[in-house]
Amino acid sequence: MDLLEDRLVTFTQSQQFSEIEPQVLHAIKLRFIDTIGCAVAGYNEGPSKIARSLAAQVRSTVEAGVIGTAWKSSPEMAAFANTTMIRCLDLNDDYFGKDGPHPSDLIGAVLAAADAAHADGAWFITSVAVAYEVLCTLVDAVGIRERGWDYVTYSSLAAALGAGKAFKLSRGALRDSLSLAVTANVALGQTRLGELSMWKGMASANACRNGIFACLLAQAGVSGPYLSFEGKSGFEQQISGPLDLSRLGASPLRAGIVYLKNWPVFYSAQAAVDAAMKLREKVQPAEIKSLVVESYKRLLGRGATDAEKWAPKSRETADHSVPFCVAAALLDGDITSHTFDSERFLDHDAIELMAKVTLREDPEFTKQYPARWNCRLVAETFAGVRHEVHVAYPKGHPENPFTDTEVEEKFIRLAEPSLGKARCRAFLDWAWRLEEADNIGEIFPLLTIP
């Protein structure tokens, strides 16, 4: 076992529910409620239907539940279906170290493993805490996106350890599952460049599937390659460079500071949408002659560099397009999953308003990022009037957090069309007492969609 394997496995094995700080426990419950709301809202999306169809073809003697259904599949396919539902609307949580993964994707993997293992609520929470901490520590250490790799490479590692904790794997099996996950599941960054495909919202689901499969292989006795991180052709040498994991497990655990989303767009555009909503109170879109979006370099690079972001042809590209997200917020006064129906981002009024948008870096905003997520919109009307709106922290940022009531309201908004008000309330009452659940599998009857 190399030093990094040893550090990650030792951390995973050592975590106990009793050691989770009260604020972190509460944060995990909030993120769990938020994540399940995203999954229920994504149930009827195209990628979710495909993932469930594939999972429904698989039966296993070891089985796990699929959100929204009364049937079960193999653990790895249940993880694939659950995570696809969680992720496809791009409304679940986010974290920013040197890259921007979505930690709650991992709940899809841990839920499947915990259900297969008949784990109780406290063990499930502990396993989620492990998965979040591993993923966030990795992206704090090295951002592999700039090296051409997709962040879900890290997700498969975190899924293997979070799921391995849920399965209660031995130390040796945890090492093997980690090694198998890191050696076999390096993902290309092309997933998030140019015109974005359906795979953008399914790549994390695949990583979670692979993380659980690594656990099942290790559990069955398959050994993973040795020195998977530090070897001559290991992860550090080939992919990441040196990984400093010295803060792994530092108090408080990182699950307590992961960001929530208010809008179904990539996180860096959250402030831009917030600002557009405020600007809409001052000026009508038809009055705007020009519109400047001023922000930090990372937002402008990720939300507009590709030509496709200025003329999106897919949902996945549109929800990562700053010009479209700002235009849609101004035109409609809201951003929902329906905003990204193809007929909306091809509508003449949206195309016309996007043509008036200019993106500009403010060097001071770049210096302040990521401590502040500044975005300024400056609109000039045909009448020569100038309107300006500035947002420093989008709703859901740790400096502008959701209250418990707001998280509940978001869940109800997302889930009530499928579950109804009474069943939403029943789930929320259960989720706030998650650590008391005798079996995590109690969740699936609460969420079965007719």
Side-chain angles (χ1 to χ4, degrees), residues 109 141 212 259-260 357:
I212 285 200
Y259 308 174
L260 295 179
V357 174

Side-chain angles (χ1 to χ4, degrees), residues 86-135:
I86 289 167
R87 184 74 188 91
C88 67
L89 294 182
D90 213 336
L91 191 50
N92 60 317
D93 69 17
D94 221 326
Y95 181 78
F96 290 89
K98 296 176 181 175
D99 212 328
H102 300 265
S104 59
D105 294 348
L106 302 170
I107 288 176
V110 176
L111 180 61
D115 187 39
H118 307 293
D120 62 22
W123 196 260
F124 169 75
I125 289 170
T126 307
S127 302
V128 169
V130 165
Y132 267 64
E133 183 69 11
V134 168
L135 179 60

Side-chain angles (χ1 to χ4, degrees), residues 2-71:
D2 65 32
L3 293 176
L4 288 177
E5 290 173 343
D6 179 69
R7 182 179 289 275
L8 288 163
V9 169
T10 298
F11 165 75
T12 300
Q13 272 206 309
S14 68
Q15 290 308 288
Q16 300 297 324
F17 177 77
S18 60
E19 297 174 356
I20 296 176
E21 304 95 331
Q23 71 271 27
V24 175
L25 172 60
H26 188 76
I28 289 174
K29 290 181 184 180
L30 284 175
R31 282 143 188 80
F32 176 68
I33 290 168
D34 184 78
T35 300
I36 298 302
C38 292
V40 173
Y43 182 84
N44 285 315
E45 296 295 318
S48 301
K49 291 179 179 178
I50 293 169
R52 284 199 311 278
S53 175
L54 291 171
Q57 298 173 29
V58 178
R59 291 293 182 268
S60 174
T61 54
V62 178
E63 56 185 12
V66 174
I67 294 169
T69 78
W71 48 267

Side-chain angles (χ1 to χ4, degrees), residues 399-448:
E399 295 295 330
N400 185 17
F402 281 84
T403 65
D404 292 0
T405 298
E406 287 171 332
V407 169
E408 286 197 354
E409 289 172 347
K410 178 183 173 183
F411 174 84
I412 291 169
R413 183 174 73 252
L414 294 174
E416 187 176 349
S418 296
L419 299 180
K421 186 170 294 185
R423 295 181 66 208
C424 284
R425 188 68 258 168
F427 169 77
L428 288 169
D429 290 344
W430 180 84
W432 286 122
R433 303 190 306 273
L434 182 58
E435 71 274 26
E436 300 174 16
D438 293 328
N439 190 317
I440 194 63
E442 296 169 13
I443 188 178
F444 296 105
L446 293 170
L447 299 175
T448 303

Side-chain angles (χ1 to χ4, degrees), residues 225-337:
Y226 297 101
L227 303 178
S228 59
F229 284 93
E230 298 173 2
K232 181 179 179 181
S233 293
F235 190 80
E236 285 188 302
Q237 183 67 29
Q238 299 295 324
I239 307 299
S240 67
L243 282 167
D244 179 5
L245 305 185
S246 58
R247 291 198 68 252
L248 179 69
S251 181
L253 295 177
R254 287 168 176 78
I257 56 172
V258 169
Y259 308 174
L260 295 179
K261 282 188 174 185
N262 199 33
W263 311 108
V265 303
F266 77 116
Y267 197 87
S268 292
Q270 299 287 312
V273 172
D274 282 352
M277 294 298 183
K278 294 179 182 295
L279 181 63
R280 194 173 189 270
E281 298 173 2
K282 299 182 176 185
V283 61
Q284 292 301 306
E287 301 176 79
I288 296 175
K289 179 182 180 182
S290 66
L291 179 61
V292 178
V293 180
E294 298 177 332
S295 196
Y296 47 89
K297 184 175 182 179
R298 178 172 178 153
L299 169 63
L300 307 186
R302 295 196 172 182
T305 298
D306 297 333
E308 293 84 353
K309 300 292 173 54
W310 293 89
K313 294 180 175 61
S314 70
R315 176 207 168 83
E316 291 80 10
T317 303
D319 68 25
H320 275 56
S321 163
V322 172
F324 175 72
C325 291
V326 168
L330 283 166
L331 289 165
D332 300 338
D334 198 7
I335 298 283
T336 71
S337 61

Side-chain angles (χ1 to χ4, degrees), residues 64-88:
V66 174
I67 294 169
T69 78
W71 48 267
K72 296 197 173 190
S73 185
S74 64
E76 74 277 12
M77 288 307 296
F80 182 70
N82 289 336
T83 307
T84 298
M85 288 185 273
I86 289 167
R87 184 74 188 91
C88 67

